[in-house]
Amino acid sequence: MFINIGKSKWMKLILFITTFAFVGTAFVALIIYKFAGNMQGVAQVNGKEIPMAEFYYQVTLITRQMENQGIDTAPLKKQIYADAIRNVIDQELLFQEAQREGIEATKEEVKRYILDIEAFKEDGKFSKDRYLAFLSQVNITPSFFEEILRKELSIRHLLTLQRVGFYLTEDELNTYINKQLSRISGEFVLIKPPEYRPTDKEIKEYYEKNLKKFAGKKGKLIAVYQISIKELGSENAQKKAQQIYKKLKNNEKVAPEKGVKKIFEDVVYDNNNKLPEKIKEEIKNLSKDKNISLVSEEDSYYLIKYIKDVSKPQPLEKVKEQIISQLKKERSKDSLKKLYDEVKEIIKMEKNLKNIAVNYRAKIKKIKGETVQTVEAEFGVLPEDLGKIVRSKEGQIVGPFKTSSGVLIGKISRIEPPEKERKEEMEGLLKPILLESKYRTLVQMLIDKLKEDSEIIINRRLLQ
């Protein structure tokens, strides 16, 4: 019964969604999964192992899609791998659900679908040469491609069932349009929390606790050991240098002895020190990966040990304004919450907007015949609160709402519904967009539910 579904434009979109809808989404959900390091496949879903071939196929698809958009994928390997793992797991979950529903695509259906793909046709007929050329281009076998397609078609069948009875209600559509186009008149008061200015003591304490945040000049903590050829003789000095080299390599302590001494241990920020020029040059090449170096001079051997990278903190005065800004930001969250809770209690008893404004030394701002977007832009109201303003009753206080700069309350005197022509125009434009958005949410809810009910183990090697 599902044979012809694959030919429809809608189901081609669904195939696109199952492959790409979740690309670029944060990989947060996977942190709750179990990890395994000895797995051959990419992951196990309810005991079934997903082969690596499916993972690399997804990697190829994601990479090509990004490159077609002009994105440099070279530094994005970890992100691409994470997205590919999520995609194959999501597809496996949906495929297993299709199997449980008894709507798994058959091999015969897959073959008929392949024969009907335009890209594989020549003069209107299926061309085996074109088919094999395509497979060669993407470096996959016919059996693997057919298995991938069988999964995709099975998922289409499942999503078609999910689509049955799915619709966007008039209330949902009207609510969204009214929020966008309704015009309101009324008065608003933006109550701001008291301005906070940190003391010098608070600034200094924050600076001392967060020195790493204020890294300035970078350098290397270096230790230099001198083995004297003059005191030990050439052969003994060479042997001693080899012994000390091994100790330094194993992070063992080097004790002072005849002909051996530590001549330098300090942070090197630049070449302005009294070390020999040859040693200065060698220090530049030392790092965490190459942390020991031997320098031979006429009268001595020098062993240089890199210990760690060091940053010299910027002076307090240079970062003082940055600290003040950060302290204000941290304090504002607490003060805004405290103010919000306070105003919330006050408006239960006080219904006069003017009295509230006077109490908080705030100004009343009048709005007349403006859309809620004006309120959003004027006061920084969050989008989710705009609908509450439109649905409020005339003459009653609305709010409080947390904004970017304070707490907003208002009293709506009039709400004008959208003009009929403008509303109809907006309906035609938004209905397919909202319908698609709602459907994607439904599909994601299904996947989330399947994840909750499933045992998922990931090959951790792919995330390293």
Side-chain angles (χ1 to χ4, degrees), residues 347-379:
I347 62 175
K348 289 179 181 178
M349 300 172 289
E350 178 61 72
K351 305 300 181 183
N352 189 312
L353 204 63
K354 184 177 180 180
N355 290 341
I356 298 174
V358 170
N359 183 55
Y360 283 101
R361 296 180 180 178
K363 294 181 180 180
I364 293 178
K365 173 75 175 181
K366 293 186 178 182
I367 299 291
K368 186 175 181 181
E370 300 285 355
T371 64
V372 287
Q373 277 71 36
T374 302
V375 178
E376 179 182 23
E378 180 82 22
F379 303 108

Side-chain angles (χ1 to χ4, degrees), residues 1-9 11-12 156-157 160:
M1 71 185 219
F2 292 105
I3 299 298
N4 293 321
I5 290 175
K7 299 177 183 178
S8 72
K9 290 182 179 179
M11 291 317 300
K12 286 180 181 177
R156 290 187 187 193
H157 298 347
T160 299

Side-chain angles (χ1 to χ4, degrees), residues 159-198:
L159 296 182
T160 299
L161 288 183
Q162 295 292 318
R163 185 82 182 181
V164 173
F166 171 80
Y167 58 93
L168 187 69
T169 67
E170 286 298 319
D171 283 344
E172 289 174 313
L173 186 59
N174 285 334
T175 297
Y176 187 85
I177 292 176
N178 287 341
K179 187 172 77 172
Q180 300 298 315
L181 300 181
S182 293
R183 296 186 176 274
I184 61 173
S185 299
E187 298 176 331
F188 288 89
V189 175
L190 180 63
I191 304 169
K192 297 182 179 181
E195 187 176 357
Y196 163 70
R197 179 77 185 183

Side-chain angles (χ1 to χ4, degrees), residues 327-338:
L327 286 171
K328 283 184 175 180
K329 185 178 179 181
E330 292 177 3
R331 182 66 65 90
S332 68
K333 292 180 182 179
D334 296 331
S335 58
L336 186 60
K337 184 181 183 305
K338 183 179 178 181

Side-chain angles (χ1 to χ4, degrees), residues 103-130:
I103 51 176
E104 180 180 357
T106 65
K107 290 184 178 180
E108 185 61 33
E109 181 182 349
V110 172
K111 288 180 180 178
R112 287 199 295 268
Y113 190 87
I114 291 173
L115 292 173
D116 200 36
I117 294 176
E118 289 297 326
F120 302 153
K121 290 182 179 181
E122 189 172 359
D123 297 329
K125 294 182 180 180
F126 175 78
S127 169
K128 186 177 180 180
D129 290 339
R130 283 198 173 189

